[in-house]
Amino acid sequence: MDLPDLPRGLTARPLVPTDLDAVYAVYAADEVADAGHLAIEPEDLAGDWARPSFDLATDSIGILEAEQFVAAAEVTRGGTRAEGAVHPAVRGRGLGSWLLRWTESRARTMGATTVGQTTPDGSAAQRLLLTQGYRLGHTSWVLELPEGREVGERPLPAGYSLATGDAVDRERAAYEVIQEAFGEWAGRERESFEDWAATTVRRPGTQPWQLRVVEHDRSVVGASFTILDSQGSGYVHQLAVDRAHRGRGLAQAMLADAFGLARAEGATRSELSTDSRTGALDLYLKVGMEVTQTWTHLVTDLPRG
C-alpha cells in the first residue's frame, strides 16, 4: 500500500486476537466522544473478528504510540464496509486521514468498487468523510422506549406461534428469513450462515432466549435476535418477517416479546436501530419509541482520483 508516513513516534501493524481489549478501549473512547453514548462492547469485536470472511491479519490495522493503541480500522464485507476509530486524546494529528487512505487501499485490493463508513451525525469522522467527497448512502436511527412505556402486546393470528431458536434447524431457518428480508435493501449483500452466526447466536455470552422465531405450518416465517448489553439495554439487533406473512402484526408481536424477555433477564432499557433502507421507522414510532441518535452511512467510489 502506498500510504503517507505517520507522524513521528507512531507505528502501524495488523491487529492480532490478543489486541482485542486494547482496541476496544479505542473504539469505546471514540464512540463516547462522537456519539455521546457507549454502545459497543468487547463481545461485538470478538464476534466481528470471528467471522470466517474476515482476516484479521490483512483486513485490520492498528496505530500505536509508546506501544499503546491510539487508533484502529477494519475493512469487511468484501471491501465495501469500513470502520475506524481515533482516540480523542490524539485527534488533530492526521490519524483519521491516514486510516481513511488505508481502508480505501485495502478495499481496492479486495476488489470493491465502493466503500462506506457509518458515523454519528455531526461527528468528527462524519466531517472528515464529507470533506473527502464521501456521499450519503443511507441514514440510521437508534430508538428507545421512554421509561415506563412498553410496546403493546399483539396476539399472533391463528396458526402462528412464538418459539425460542434453541436448535440448529431453527437457527438456520431464522438466518434464511433474515437474509431474505434484509436482501431487499439496496446494496445489502447476503452473508454466509457462519458470518451471521458469529455476530448473533455464536456471539460470546449468547443465551438461547435471545433468538426467537415465529412459526407457521412448521416453517419459520419471522425471527428476532436481542442483545442484553452491559449498560442494561435490551437491544433488538435483528428483526425480520417473511414477505408473504407481513401485515399481520408479527413484527409488533416479536418486538413486544423480545423486549419483555430482555426485561425479565434484567434489562432496564429497550432499544433498537433501523435505517432509511428498511421503511420500518414509522412502525417503531407508532409503538411509542423515540429517536435518540442519528447516524449516516457515507460512501465513495473506488478508485478515487
Side-chain angles (χ1 to χ4, degrees):
M1 297 182 182
D2 185 16
L3 294 170
D5 292 335
L6 285 165
R8 184 183 298 273
L10 299 177
T11 59
R13 66 163 173 81
L15 304 177
V16 297
T18 53
D19 294 329
L20 192 146
D21 288 341
V23 172
Y24 167 74
V26 173
Y27 276 101
D30 178 87
E31 183 176 64
V32 170
D34 275 355
H37 175 76
L38 179 63
I40 191 172
E41 296 193 298
E43 293 83 359
D44 297 322
L45 284 187
D48 287 343
W49 290 8
R51 290 173 295 178
S53 67
F54 180 67
D55 185 354
L56 198 61
T58 58
D59 301 340
S60 72
I61 197 74
I63 299 177
L64 300 97
E65 183 172 39
E67 300 185 357
Q68 296 291 322
F69 282 102
V70 294
E74 306 166 18
V75 179
T76 61
R77 297 188 182 276
T80 62
R81 188 73 177 254
E83 293 184 43
V86 177
H87 197 286
V90 297
R91 290 182 178 179
R93 298 169 64 181
L95 305 193
S97 296
W98 192 94
L99 289 178
L100 192 63
R101 296 292 171 262
W102 183 89
T103 58
E104 291 170 357
S105 179
R106 178 58 191 156
R108 288 195 301 272
T109 300
M110 297 170 76
T113 57
T114 64
V115 64
Q117 295 191 42
T118 302
T119 61
D121 193 33
S123 66
Q126 183 192 60
R127 292 192 294 272
L128 171 63
L129 293 174
L130 291 174
T131 60
Q132 294 299 312
Y134 279 60
R135 64 183 182 275
L136 179 65
H138 60 264
T139 302
S140 301
W141 303 276
V142 177
L143 296 99
E144 181 177 357
L145 272 176
E147 186 175 354
R149 189 178 300 176
E150 295 183 6
V151 174
E153 293 187 9
R154 184 164 180 175
L156 290 170
Y160 292 86
S161 60
L162 272 162
T164 299
D166 54 359
V168 174
D169 59 339
R170 280 177 170 163
E171 291 178 353
R172 287 275 181 177
Y175 157 79
E176 290 293 342
V177 168
I178 290 168
Q179 294 304 308
E180 286 296 319
F182 289 10
E184 298 170 14
W185 308 349
R188 178 61 158 73
E189 297 292 332
R190 184 183 180 90
E191 62 182 340
S192 70
F193 173 79
E194 291 74 19
D195 272 17
W196 174 81
T199 60
T200 54
V201 293
R202 306 289 182 266
R203 181 181 184 269
T206 292
Q207 300 176 22
W209 69 266
Q210 294 176 239
L211 179 66
R212 297 281 281 173
V213 297
V214 172
E215 296 178 323
H216 178 71
D217 287 341
R218 299 186 179 181
S219 295
V220 171
V221 298
S224 68
F225 182 78
T226 304
I227 294 172
L228 177 57
D229 69 20
S230 60
Q231 308 296 311
S233 172
Y235 179 84
V236 176
H237 175 59
Q238 293 181 341
L239 189 151
V241 176
D242 181 271
R243 177 186 287 273
H245 297 266
R246 294 174 191 167
R248 304 178 190 183
L250 305 189
Q252 183 172 332
M254 284 194 295
L255 194 62
D257 172 73
F259 285 154
L261 287 172
R263 285 194 299 273
E265 294 291 331
T268 57
R269 302 192 341 267
S270 300
E271 293 182 302
L272 56 74
S273 65
T274 189
D275 68 49
S276 53
R277 298 171 298 176
T278 71
L281 179 61
D282 285 345
L283 165 66
Y284 300 130
L285 294 175
K286 286 178 181 177
V287 299
M289 302 194 76
E290 297 179 356
V291 173
T292 57
Q293 298 178 46
T294 301
W295 295 61
T296 55
H297 185 72
L298 303 173
V299 181
T300 191
D301 297 316
L302 298 172
R304 297 215 298 141

